[in-house]
Amino acid sequence: MNAHGWKGSVCAGLVLCLAAPLGCSREETSQPAARGEAPRPAALRAELEPAPEGGEIAALVQQARERALREGRELVVYVGAPWCEPCTRFHDAVKAGQLDAVLPALRLLEFDLDRDRDRLAEAGYASEMIPLFVVPGEDGRGTPLRIEGSVKGERAVDEIVPRLAAILSRARASAR
């Protein structure tokens, strides 16, 4: 990250795109992936996947994780709630494509705390605060690679994104 945070890197990318003689287009080339991972197409966008209601969470997450890896994505379990301001700001930012430049391969398996609290706790996804972001283990259970909580207001997304990128970086390093 630079001194301007993740938005600064997005702005720098836009400046480079605008300065290019042919404009900014995403090519259909693959980016190198970590050893043992599928290649990542350049056109990936960060995405939210609503978690299904019912069922055992660890099994659901394990299946979602395996599918994400096959597709060259990084899965993170995301727990939020509609009454949580940082959660709604983050959700809206993902939907608007604001994380695409920084975390294009990110897939968030989204759970609602109010609906799924007990099931989440059974699978190792309990927390004191939300939003909660957890890199799942191979068995679909929660790992210590997690962040929880955020500031309220306009800075919520700016505060979450670098922390989220850091736990994903640690997950990649431990997978090598």
Side-chain angles (χ1 to χ4, degrees):
M1 294 296 140
N2 60 27
H4 302 289
W6 69 275
K7 282 187 178 176
S9 63
V10 172
C11 291
L14 290 174
V15 169
L16 290 174
C17 289
L18 293 173
L22 299 176
C24 185
S25 65
R26 293 184 179 215
E27 296 178 28
E28 294 300 320
T29 58
S30 294
Q31 298 173 352
R35 189 174 64 209
E37 289 182 13
R40 296 184 189 145
L44 284 179
R45 295 185 51 151
E47 64 183 23
L48 291 163
E49 178 181 318
E53 292 186 38
E56 200 260 321
I57 287 186
L60 294 171
V61 172
Q62 184 179 29
Q63 292 169 357
R65 182 182 178 277
E66 291 168 359
R67 187 176 70 254
L69 289 173
R70 283 193 307 271
E71 296 171 4
R73 292 193 166 273
E74 298 176 294
L75 185 75
V76 170
V77 171
Y78 164 51
V79 181
W83 47 263
C84 167
E85 182 192 341
C87 300
T88 58
R89 285 184 183 273
F90 182 80
H91 181 101
D92 292 347
V94 174
K95 287 290 193 186
Q98 294 175 1
L99 277 66
D100 295 351
V102 179
L103 300 168
L106 179 63
R107 177 174 293 152
L108 296 148
L109 184 59
E110 183 178 25
F111 289 91
D112 183 291
L113 178 68
D114 296 329
R115 181 189 77 196
D116 301 310
R117 181 186 314 264
D118 294 337
R119 294 187 316 141
L120 287 161
E122 289 173 12
Y125 296 99
S127 68
E128 296 290 321
M129 296 180 284
I130 56 172
L132 171 67
F133 302 90
V134 183
V135 175
E138 289 180 18
D139 61 357
R141 296 186 55 79
T143 69
L145 291 172
R146 62 180 57 215
I147 60 171
E148 59 182 87
S150 179
V151 297
K152 291 183 179 180
E154 293 178 6
R155 296 221 0 96
V157 176
D158 291 341
E159 195 269 338
I160 292 169
V161 170
R163 295 168 54 216
L164 183 53
I167 65 168
L168 285 167
S169 179
R170 288 178 37 214
R172 283 184 224 114
S174 67
R176 291 185 193 138

